[in-house]
Structure formats: structure tokens, C-alpha cells
Amino acid sequence: FESFIYNTRNALNLPANAAFSLPQEKNKILADLQVSETWLYDDGQNASKQDYESQLAKIKTCASSFTNRMSKIEAIKGYYDE
């Protein structure tokens, strides 16, 4: 959960990845990542496994448009690099 938050935030902030999301989409994802991080360190400390998994699924869904675009482009780049 924590690594997903940090990795996604870092990927969103890389200038090379700017083309994978619109500014308003990026801002929404970053805000949702912050909410999830706050939950993780507050309520998440005593959360059940089910709550933890639910929160992780929620943030992955929120970021999926960005992460899917990024993955597809990376796969295409890898294909042409071979």
C-alpha cells in the first residue's frame, strides 16, 4: 500500500510522464494518494485486512487510468527497443 502510494506519486511527478495524464487528472490522483496516505498512518494502523485491501483497491482504481497508460507506453517502448 505504502509503496504503491510513493511509486505512483513519484511517477506522476516525473516530467517524462507528463503526457500520461491531464493536469486536472494528475491533481485528483495526487489528492487521492494523499488521502490514502493519511488514512494509512491514522485509521489504517488499526484497520482490518479487509479494510486495508478495500482502501488499496480504491486508490489503485483511482490511479488506474494513469498507470495503465504508462504501462502500455512502456510495453510499446520495450517492443521497439528489442
Side-chain angles (χ1 to χ4, degrees):
F1 196 127
E2 184 180 47
S3 64
F4 180 82
I5 292 171
Y6 289 128
N7 291 337
T8 304
R9 183 182 295 139
N10 289 339
L12 275 164
N13 287 319
L14 285 175
N17 293 338
F20 301 136
S21 67
L22 297 172
Q24 59 269 32
E25 178 186 34
K26 175 184 172 182
N27 291 336
K28 167 115 174 65
I29 295 169
L30 288 171
D32 289 344
L33 289 170
Q34 185 59 51
V35 168
S36 292
E37 185 177 18
T38 300
W39 176 87
L40 181 63
Y41 295 128
D42 291 340
D43 296 337
Q45 295 291 327
N46 298 315
S48 68
K49 181 180 178 185
Q50 183 179 4
D51 288 341
Y52 186 87
E53 289 173 346
S54 175
Q55 288 291 329
L56 179 57
K58 205 182 300 184
I59 195 62
K60 282 185 173 183
T61 299
C62 169
S64 67
S65 59
F66 168 73
T67 56
N68 288 342
R69 277 187 226 115
M70 193 172 70
S71 296
K72 287 177 185 177
I73 296 299
E74 291 301 318
I76 291 169
K77 284 181 184 178
Y79 176 78
Y80 286 107
D81 287 343
E82 292 179 355

